[in-house]
Amino acid sequence: MAKKAKTPRAPRTVQAPKRRTDTRAGGPFASVPRWGWGVAGAVVVAVAVIGAVALGGGSSSSGTSEAAVAKAMKSAGCTYKSVPPKPPKKNPTGQKGGYHADVPTLKTPTKGLWSTFPPSGGAHYGLWVIWGFYREPADPRQVVHNEEHGGVIIWWGPDVPSSTVDQLESFYQQKPEGMVGTPIAGLGKKIALTAWTGDPAKYYRNHNYGTGHIGVCNSFDQKAFAAFRDAFRGKGPEGIPLSADAPGSGPQ
């Protein structure tokens, strides 16, 4: 008889969930006149242009380029690639659920949902997991939603030694905002890092679904893992700020 699936225990390192407040409508800036937003917008554009010139093409706000990530991963003996996620099957425009429509329940089969293993973007359940470090598997159908919010995910197989998992948790604790750590079946002795990046202004438009990033390693490497994290964390296609991805926070 098949064993009944167990719900993962709450992560060791997280706190009680915090409610996310959406300030996009109203809020403390509701009284600002329209001309004020125009001036502010011009200033933002000017700053952005200056920043882009200073950083150079292909660099993240941390100054870590994707080429640097690929180089660091290769030096650590890891594989690295960037791939687009599979498009939504039921609602490609995003007007009626988008990727959520492809995973209506946590029993939805995962075969064929994602471009990579572990997943680095694509179809996902409507509720993400509480941000934190898990010693028991979190549901990947939900974890992909964390990626959409800008999360960098640390995955490891069931055969990874506990001492290495301790190293991964220490790495997680260095910058826990926008990070999730979880074991996953099928990865064996390997460790993987994944992220999903994209331009919020273009997301779901003209079949633009962002880009998935995945590095797979045989062991932990601080330099390579930090390069990956610093290049992609907080750059999800929905444009959610890292301040909303604090450890212990989650959907309400």
Side-chain angles (χ1 to χ4, degrees):
M1 178 180 293
K3 294 183 178 180
K4 184 177 180 181
K6 296 182 179 179
T7 302
R9 293 182 301 177
R12 268 190 343 180
T13 57
V14 302
Q15 302 171 350
K18 302 174 184 177
R19 182 179 298 275
R20 171 179 291 163
T21 301
D22 190 343
T23 58
R24 287 176 292 182
F29 303 107
S31 61
V32 178
R34 290 186 178 181
W35 62 263
W37 287 112
V39 173
V43 172
V44 170
V45 170
V47 171
V49 171
I50 294 172
V53 172
L55 290 173
S59 295
S60 69
S61 61
S62 67
T64 303
S65 69
E66 185 170 355
V69 174
K71 182 178 180 180
M73 284 282 166
K74 183 177 180 180
S75 296
C78 307
T79 61
Y80 171 78
K81 63 180 179 180
S82 294
V83 295
K86 292 185 176 182
K89 296 178 180 179
K90 297 181 179 179
N91 183 231
T93 65
Q95 298 300 313
K96 296 182 179 180
Y99 277 119
H100 299 176
D102 291 342
V103 187
T105 75
L106 291 178
K107 294 183 179 180
T108 301
T110 60
K111 184 177 181 180
L113 287 182
W114 304 308
S115 298
T116 65
F117 177 79
S120 56
H124 54 272
Y125 187 60
L127 299 178
W128 57 102
V129 299
I130 293 173
W131 295 94
F133 193 90
Y134 292 76
R135 292 284 179 155
E136 293 187 9
D139 195 317
R141 301 172 185 84
Q142 294 179 274
V143 176
V144 175
H145 198 151
N146 293 72
E147 293 176 336
E148 187 184 40
H149 288 191
V152 166
I153 315 302
I154 311 167
W155 313 82
W156 62 91
D159 298 326
V160 172
S162 59
S163 57
T164 301
V165 177
D166 290 341
Q167 287 182 304
L168 297 176
E169 184 168 8
S170 294
F171 172 74
Y172 160 86
Q173 292 289 359
Q174 292 172 15
K175 295 182 178 181
E177 294 79 12
M179 299 284 290
V180 171
T182 177
I184 186 171
L187 203 54
K189 297 180 180 180
K190 295 184 180 297
I191 305 164
L193 295 176
T194 60
W196 184 4
T197 62
D199 183 346
K202 298 178 180 179
Y203 192 35
Y204 281 111
R205 297 183 179 181
N206 299 317
H207 306 288
N208 186 314
Y209 305 109
T211 304
H213 309 274
I214 180 169
V216 180
C217 307
N218 293 315
S219 60
F220 171 71
D221 184 279
Q222 171 67 34
K223 183 177 180 180
F225 281 41
F228 189 104
R229 175 197 62 203
D230 296 343
F232 304 130
R233 188 175 61 126
K235 297 175 177 62
E238 281 197 336
I240 304 296
L242 276 177
S243 59
D245 298 341
S249 66
Q252 296 291 302

